[in-house]
Amino acid sequence: MATPMNISVRQFSKIFWAQIMEGTESTLAEKEALAIKLNSLESLRDLAEYNTGSISFSAAWCLYNLTKYLKVKKIIEIGTLIGKSTISMASAIDCNSSDGEIYTCDFSNSIKLPWNGKTK
């Protein structure tokens, strides 16, 4: 009988994210392009009726790489605000697919996101 392997949540998380983020240092141009897109979204805060929080660029970069790694084609997102996570995921889907879709909503705000990629 094989000896069971015990991996703590912390160990699993390190292994998981190391795998997701492996090789991303070679995608500097993608990272810079995403940063430019996300920085341009900050002006949308003025349109928000209720200004909630937004994700950091580090979180957006992780979300981008997770979406890209898993080759996700369809996403449902609840809570959009200015669209940093939405644009991050849509940008990653565009890298892998020409027929991706994101369904997103925000209860407190109705802001049209500036998107012109392949993902609908």
Side-chain angles (χ1 to χ4, degrees):
M1 178 184 270
T3 305
M5 182 184 296
N6 293 318
I7 299 175
S8 70
V9 171
R10 176 173 277 164
Q11 289 169 321
F12 177 79
S13 183
K14 283 183 178 182
I15 294 166
F16 177 84
W17 284 107
Q19 183 66 39
I20 298 300
M21 301 304 285
E22 183 179 0
T24 60
E25 57 278 347
S26 66
T27 59
L28 184 59
E30 286 178 52
K31 190 173 187 178
E32 290 174 351
L34 183 62
I36 290 167
K37 285 180 192 176
L38 299 187
N39 285 337
S40 72
L41 296 174
E42 284 299 324
S43 63
L44 296 176
R45 284 189 186 278
D46 295 338
L47 303 175
E49 293 174 34
Y50 184 71
N51 192 354
T52 57
S54 191
I55 63 172
S56 67
F57 181 73
S58 295
W61 182 239
C62 287
L63 191 55
Y64 172 90
N65 283 291
L66 179 63
T67 304
K68 188 175 172 184
Y69 181 86
L70 295 175
K71 296 182 171 108
V72 176
K73 291 175 83 173
K74 201 172 273 192
I75 295 172
I76 297 172
E77 178 187 38
I78 299 171
T80 307
L81 186 59
I82 59 173
K84 286 185 176 182
S85 55
T86 307
I87 298 297
S88 297
M89 293 184 291
S91 297
I93 292 171
D94 273 9
C95 291
N96 293 331
S97 175
S98 62
D99 61 345
E101 296 175 296
I102 295 183
Y103 299 90
T104 185
C105 64
D106 193 289
F107 179 75
S108 303
N109 297 299
S110 181
I111 298 173
K112 182 159 175 53
L113 301 180
W115 176 252
N116 59 1
K118 299 177 286 188
T119 300
K120 298 176 191 166

